[in-house]
Amino acid sequence: MRLEAKIWLIILGISSLLGALFVGVNFSQAEQNEFKGTLYKELPSFDIRRDGMGVTESGKQFQSEIIKTDFGFNAVGFVWKQPKENTYRLKIRTGTSRSALSSWRTLSLMDDVKDGSDRTSTDLYFPDQKSNYFQYQLELLRGDQLILEQFKPVYLDSTDSQFQTQTSTQSNSSPYIISRADWGCNESLMTWTPEYAPVRKIIVHHTAGPNNPSDPKATIRGIYQYHAVTLGWGDIGYNYLVDQYGNVYQGRKGDNGVIGGHASGYNTGSVGIAVLGTYTSVAPSSAARNAVAKVSAWKAAYNGFKPNEKSSWKDEYTYNVAGHRDYNSTACPGNAFYSCLSSIRSTAYNSYFKNYEPGAVTDLRVVARQPDQVELEWTASGGFWEYGLPEVTQIFYSTTPIKDQYSFLGVVAVAPEIPGSLQRETVTGLSPGVRYYFAVRSKNWNNKWSTVSKNACDFTKPIVDFLASATLDSPYDTAPGGNLYLWRTYNFSTVLGGTLRVELTGHADANGSSDDDDLKLILDGNDYGWGGEYGLDGNVQDSRVKTILIEVNSSVGDHTLEIWADETPTLHNFYIEGPNCEGRSFAIYPQEETPDLNIALFKEYQFEVAEAGDYKIEVTATADSNGSADDDDLRFMIDDTDYGWTGTNGFDGKTEKGREKTVTVNQNLTAGMHTIKIYADETPVLNAIEVYPAIDLQKVSSLAANQSGNSRDLNCALWRIKQFTSEGGAAKIKVQVAADSNGSADDDDLKIVLDNVDYHWNSNKSFDGSLNQSQSCTIVINQLLSPGIHTIKVYVDETPNLQNIEIFATPSVQNYLVESYPEEVATGLRTELWKDTDYSFTLTSNATVKMEVVGAADSNGSNNDDDLKLVLVKTNNPPATYDYGWNNDFALNGAVLNSASKLVTITRTLLAGNYKLQIWGDATPTLNSVIISKVN
């Protein structure tokens, strides 16, 4: 780590120094320190000024006398303070005698690698041989006056035969790290208290010493002495050092995440890896480069990022494995070394990263589903499983794509899987007719988690049956191999009779023998055969792609499609379509990050609609700002209609800032084939595309004016409740919120719970103040509902501003005893009757009745808080009164709620007769909804 712009290699004849002035220095006061094979000496510091001894007449140069050292040295360095505007060149020559000095060598200047350092220093200089004499010369290159304060030369001898380095014998499985004790570290000099931070980057350096030191351990001991003592850092700056043989040495003392001293302003959160040598014009050895790749892969996997990717860090978008020059004004690690970093990143990821990850979960898919559960299947292989089974496996599920271990609705812990084998697990407790995303990760023997797998996505089976579409979990899915075996089974239901359409595209290979690939379909027991129009026959196809189309007249009810395979045929695409096909004519969930594109076509999908009409097309994607102007962008075209990069229908990373967005457009489509094209800039993520007939949903409810505004200061607590009824089927809930970061980590947050579906604080269907920055944002929740009463609960953290909730659904036609949404605030009540006959109903026979009331009450900052109670009165003979009181679970108490909403549910078996539910109030409570229904 040196400032290469200030380095020159100049070889001057001794004659060029004739006429120079010398200054004598008294070295008798210097102290000598001997430790573990290293002799060290600091000469007394002194000031050098323009008019001082040893300075030339021009005032631009200073030259020392020839200095005889007290012992033979293998390294020398210099430290001083100087005006910031000055630039100097410092040269040295060394030798075994006064008459045998080397030619002059220019020393490289060390960057300010320790945060907050106010001193200038050279990199430690290692002469070609152990020497007993040295002489130095300073030249002012920029500035008015030659001024250096506290100028101090140091020299040392760090050679010791007991610590001689051997060539590397490390394995390919993990980097072998030579300990501090093994390279001869004197821990008594370690005065720095280790500090820690999460690791986000790896920064690569060269040390500016000899490229092929005869004793690398001696070189490291010298650097340690220089950093810890001479520069006063208390320890060596680098986290790891690498020699020409590929040996890796521990540098800075501490465990994972220990903060080093190697890149000013960027030490916290990074790992510094330095290769011994100077690599301005020559690259490090292949062994050294390979060792850097291996350590980079190890640290990246351990800390949860990929060594070959870029990411935002400290407001900069850089490679995760980068050179020192990418962060500081320096040429480190040298031009030749820097040009190797691209291949080092590739080697780190392709050759080693998989060895340090806890393994990969592949081919995750849904293989069976019921209204409240799904069965998943996946394969585990590679990574740390080479060294032992994982301790535990987690299955995440959510109603939005799962990006990481934080963005989930629920998690299930299951027993670890055997590497290379199929694992099947069932996730229960799900809602019927809902689209869920699933992902898997495992924790290894080293207590490290694997990255979260690619999502699988499917709908749970609805209680009210409709046709379920099936799509491949990933394109180009090859069967595992075998002899005439059942490969996949899809179960689905139809609520309407009509044409059922199965489309499969794939290929089969002849395999150069009679044992070719084959594939056949069995639909509801009807076997379509291995060959012919409806099968894939490898001897016929010989790797050519074929599309199979089966159309049958289906009846209402359950159906089963089986895909059978012989050997290893491959699927490209696969769809089941039919009347009301989950409300969708086309559905695909790629959850795929685009490669680094520059305004180019990313994906193209074709779909067919059987009937002309109005259709809704939903595209779900994520675009990030990448911390710079070069943000992610995504746009889509449907046939010839271009919906643009920005605005309502585009995905603009500057605006979305990594949040998932769903764009819904209405378009009239003709019967037949249509095309969706996805264009991308940089690396947005395409999560889903869905096409379905436009359903004329009505706005059944919206947030009342008195229910909007900022919440009170809550800590992840329930604030608002809203109810509505629906006939069932598709529904769309739009929630508009402004959340602020509050200038700290304790930002505003808001999440929605619809019935029993929790959209989670960290999901893309929630509001995060640190991302929204007070901007008004709208999320859209598309949900399939069963007929009946539905409840939306709003949870808040801090004080977000809830601006509106709009609910679009098919209005209920059920006969509720009472269904009312008054959204009304009382005015100045004094423990008196507020609503008397508004909520009356009649029972013709004995029945169990459920009464649901939603309201809110405030403390009003005094004892005169809002209160609300319920009284049920039977008005005919025999009369009866059920008073549910002011202070219990069936009432709204402002002192407790402090402006929050509450749902009161009362279930009671009643005699036939006439009833009214009275609403009593004190002060100014809010009444939002009253729904009374019979319980079957």
Side-chain angles (χ1 to χ4, degrees), residues 424-708:
R424 282 187 179 234
E425 295 290 346
T426 300
V427 179
T428 61
L430 304 178
S431 299
V434 175
R435 184 182 70 196
Y436 283 96
Y437 296 83
F438 303 92
V440 175
R441 71 168 184 167
S442 293
K443 185 171 70 172
N444 71 353
W445 57 272
N446 199 29
N447 204 36
K448 294 301 297 181
W449 287 100
S450 66
T451 54
V452 174
S453 71
K454 183 178 178 180
N455 290 194
C457 180
D458 209 335
F459 282 77
T460 48
K461 191 174 180 180
I463 295 175
V464 180
D465 287 339
F466 49 78
L467 181 59
S469 68
T471 64
L472 281 183
D473 304 305
S474 60
Y476 298 93
D477 195 1
T478 301
N483 186 28
L484 306 177
Y485 57 95
L486 176 62
W487 181 14
R488 288 194 170 184
T489 301
Y490 291 94
N491 297 303
F492 55 95
S493 301
T494 54
V495 67
L496 299 174
T499 301
L500 177 66
R501 188 171 186 271
V502 177
E503 179 181 326
L504 180 149
T505 301
H507 73 263
D509 197 355
N511 298 327
S513 68
S514 58
D515 198 6
D516 60 314
D517 299 334
D518 299 292
L519 183 144
K520 74 172 182 177
L521 304 178
I522 299 178
L523 176 60
D524 293 335
N526 186 8
D527 190 334
Y528 285 87
W530 294 101
E533 181 181 359
Y534 302 115
L536 295 181
D537 182 347
N539 285 330
V540 175
Q541 302 306 130
D542 197 15
S543 296
R544 291 189 296 271
V545 176
K546 176 182 177 180
T547 296
I548 298 171
L549 179 61
I550 298 174
E551 292 185 335
V552 296
N553 187 34
S554 70
S555 60
V556 176
D558 294 334
H559 301 272
T560 299
L561 177 70
E562 297 179 352
I563 300 179
W564 286 71
D566 185 29
E567 298 303 318
T568 56
T570 297
L571 291 181
H572 293 197
N573 287 297
F574 169 58
Y575 306 103
I576 303 174
E577 301 173 354
N580 194 26
C581 179
E582 284 193 333
R584 288 151 177 79
S585 302
F586 172 79
I588 192 166
Y589 310 101
Q591 299 147 64
E592 183 176 352
E593 180 175 328
T594 68
D596 195 351
L597 298 176
N598 183 18
I599 312 180
L601 178 66
F602 171 47
K603 292 284 185 180
E604 182 173 328
Y605 300 98
Q606 288 192 321
F607 65 95
E608 183 177 12
V609 296
E611 297 181 2
D614 292 330
Y615 286 81
K616 288 187 181 292
I617 297 95
E618 288 192 353
V619 178
T620 302
T622 303
D624 198 353
S625 66
N626 298 328
S628 68
D630 200 6
D631 58 313
D632 298 335
D633 298 291
L634 185 142
R635 88 175 202 265
F636 63 94
M637 290 181 63
I638 302 172
D639 297 333
D640 295 326
T641 304
D642 189 339
Y643 287 94
W645 295 100
T646 59
T648 304
N649 297 328
F651 299 85
D652 180 0
K654 290 180 185 176
T655 304
E656 307 310 326
K657 298 179 180 177
R659 289 179 57 84
E660 182 187 84
K661 177 181 178 181
T662 298
V663 172
T664 303
V665 297
N666 294 310
Q667 189 162 326
N668 186 274
L669 301 177
T670 59
M673 299 301 297
H674 297 271
T675 302
I676 298 178
K677 294 181 179 180
I678 306 295
Y679 291 84
D681 187 30
E682 297 298 317
T683 57
V685 178
L686 177 63
N687 292 324
I689 301 174
E690 297 175 316
V691 181
Y692 50 90
I695 302 172
D696 187 20
L697 299 178
Q698 298 181 31
K699 183 188 287 188
V700 298
S701 185
S702 61
L703 193 68
N706 64 290
Q707 290 284 284
S708 62

Side-chain angles (χ1 to χ4, degrees), residues 698-860:
Q698 298 181 31
K699 183 188 287 188
V700 298
S701 185
S702 61
L703 193 68
N706 64 290
Q707 290 284 284
S708 62
N710 289 90
S711 75
R712 60 187 177 90
D713 193 353
L714 296 173
N715 184 19
C716 302
L718 177 65
W719 181 45
R720 289 280 180 261
I721 299 175
K722 186 163 190 61
Q723 285 193 304
F724 65 97
T725 59
S726 171
E727 180 63 16
K732 185 184 297 289
I733 294 94
K734 298 174 66 175
V735 184
Q736 185 177 6
V737 172
D740 195 0
S741 66
N742 299 326
S744 68
D746 201 5
D747 57 317
D748 298 335
D749 298 293
L750 184 145
K751 74 167 182 176
I752 299 295
V753 176
L754 173 59
D755 296 333
N756 64 338
V757 178
D758 188 336
Y759 285 92
H760 205 271
W761 294 106
N762 295 309
S763 78
N764 287 309
K765 297 296 184 185
S766 67
F767 297 88
D768 183 346
S770 62
L771 297 175
N772 299 146
Q773 297 287 330
S774 298
Q775 294 182 2
S776 178
C777 298
T778 300
I779 62 169
V780 177
I781 296 172
N782 293 294
Q783 187 67 284
L784 294 171
L785 303 176
S786 57
I789 303 169
H790 301 277
T791 303
I792 298 173
K793 294 181 180 180
V794 179
Y795 289 80
V796 299
D797 187 32
E798 298 300 314
T799 58
N801 185 288
L802 176 61
Q803 297 170 332
N804 201 5
I805 297 177
E806 294 180 295
I807 303 161
F808 300 85
T810 304
S812 174
V813 294
Q814 295 190 54
N815 185 22
Y816 292 100
L817 298 172
V818 173
E819 182 184 359
S820 177
Y821 305 95
E823 306 286 1
E824 185 177 347
V825 181
T827 56
L829 300 175
R830 292 291 181 269
T831 58
E832 60 188 281
L833 179 63
W834 180 19
K835 305 283 186 181
D836 184 17
T837 59
D838 299 62
Y839 311 117
S840 300
F841 59 94
T842 298
L843 296 176
T844 57
S845 60
N846 298 346
T848 300
V849 172
K850 181 167 69 173
M851 296 167 279
E852 296 181 70
V853 178
V854 174
D858 197 357
S859 65
N860 298 325

